[in-house]
Structures are given as C-alpha cells and as structure tokens.
Amino acid sequence: MADKPGIKFNIANIARIILIIAGVMIIGLSVFFFFKVRTESKAALREAKNIRMALRMADIEFYAQEKCVFNPNNYDGLEAGAKEKVEQIVQPQGTYRITSYSTRYHEITGMTYRVGNYNVIFTKEGESIRWDVTYLMQVYHFDEEDTKIVKK
C-alpha cells in the first residue's frame, strides 16, 4: 500500500495542533471567567450600595420616631419594620446584615451583603469608607449520615 503524495500524517504535527487548540480554549475560558466574575461583582457592589442608601433613608424615618434601624439583639441587626422600609425602596436579590452602628452619629458603620457567590463587606471608620467584594467558591462538600447504635 503506497502513501498518496502530499498527505502525511505526522503524530508530532497532530499533537502540536491539539496543544494549540487546548491552549487557546484555556486562555479563552480564563478571560471569560475573569470578565464574568468582575461584572457580577460590580453588580453585587451596586446592589449593596443601594441597600445601604435605603437603610440610611429608613434610619432618618426611624430617627423621627426616636428609634434607629439597628437592633443588635436580632441576627440580621435590623429593627422591626426596617426591612419593610428598605424593600419599599429597593428589592434586594440577596441577604444583608448590619454588623455595626454608630449611635452617636446615627449611621451604619458596618454591613454585609451576600448574593450568589459574592460577599460584599462595608466598613466605615471615621471618614474612611471601605467596600470589599469577595468571590466565594465551594471547595469541597461531604455528606455524612449519623451512626445510630441499635440495642438488641
């Protein structure tokens, strides 16, 4: 059986082509993932800022009633009725908590907002305001059943 002229299957050339295609796909997926995470993190930050602004507006209303939006006895840090006031202004996609509040200046000094895999942390110290956006990635999951001892 004779080889046709001009057609040669060289394993090295095929391997090179496969490596180039794999490299281009890896680079393309990395760039796509980077821009996807960056875009979604900016959206989460925008939502967190909107919630903070809504909480400030609710706090002004509560101040007229000699109350504030912060209640450290509740898990989410919100006074009764504060969540409803916020939801009149903005419809949050995730969950938020007030972590600290300055009763002296009547302002929120700490807040967290979580939506999807993004966690936004707001802190205010004096005039310094800081927003940190973190991407949370599950690394491992393990299901375990409780062992029960049955007596005979």
Side-chain angles (χ1 to χ4, degrees):
M1 186 168 162
D3 288 338
K4 293 183 182 179
I7 299 178
K8 290 186 178 178
F9 290 105
N10 189 347
I11 294 177
N13 288 338
I14 293 172
R16 236 182 257 132
I17 291 171
I18 290 172
L19 286 175
I20 290 171
I21 291 171
V24 168
M25 287 180 66
I26 289 171
I27 291 170
L29 286 173
S30 299
V31 169
F32 172 76
F33 185 71
F34 172 79
F35 283 111
K36 178 183 179 294
V37 167
R38 188 165 175 88
T39 303
E40 289 177 351
S41 67
K42 285 184 178 185
L45 177 61
R46 185 174 46 252
E47 288 177 22
K49 285 183 174 185
N50 289 341
I51 290 168
R52 177 179 174 248
M53 187 170 36
L55 282 166
R56 290 177 73 186
M57 292 172 65
D59 197 35
I60 292 169
E61 289 183 35
F62 278 51
Y63 182 71
Q65 302 168 6
E66 297 181 358
K67 297 184 338 186
C68 70
V69 293
F70 181 61
N71 185 346
N73 297 324
N74 293 336
Y75 175 75
D76 58 3
L78 295 171
E79 182 64 58
K83 191 171 193 169
E84 290 76 18
K85 294 276 186 193
V86 169
E87 289 176 355
Q88 289 176 353
I89 300 166
V90 65
Q91 283 69 42
Q93 302 296 317
T95 58
Y96 57 94
R97 294 178 54 200
I98 298 176
T99 56
S100 63
Y101 184 86
S102 172
T103 54
R104 181 177 183 184
Y105 297 109
H106 268 284
E107 64 183 358
I108 297 167
T109 56
M111 181 185 92
T112 62
Y113 175 64
R114 181 158 183 196
V115 58
N117 289 337
Y118 299 91
N119 193 28
V120 182
I121 300 170
F122 164 77
T123 54
K124 181 175 182 184
E125 296 174 3
E127 295 299 313
S128 174
I129 294 176
R130 184 173 168 176
W131 294 91
D132 293 315
V133 182
T134 307
Y135 181 77
L136 307 170
M137 183 172 70
Q138 183 176 351
V139 176
Y140 186 70
H141 177 78
F142 180 72
D143 285 329
E144 183 177 355
E145 292 184 22
D146 196 18
T147 306
K148 296 180 182 177
I149 300 174
V150 179
K151 292 184 178 182
K152 291 183 182 182

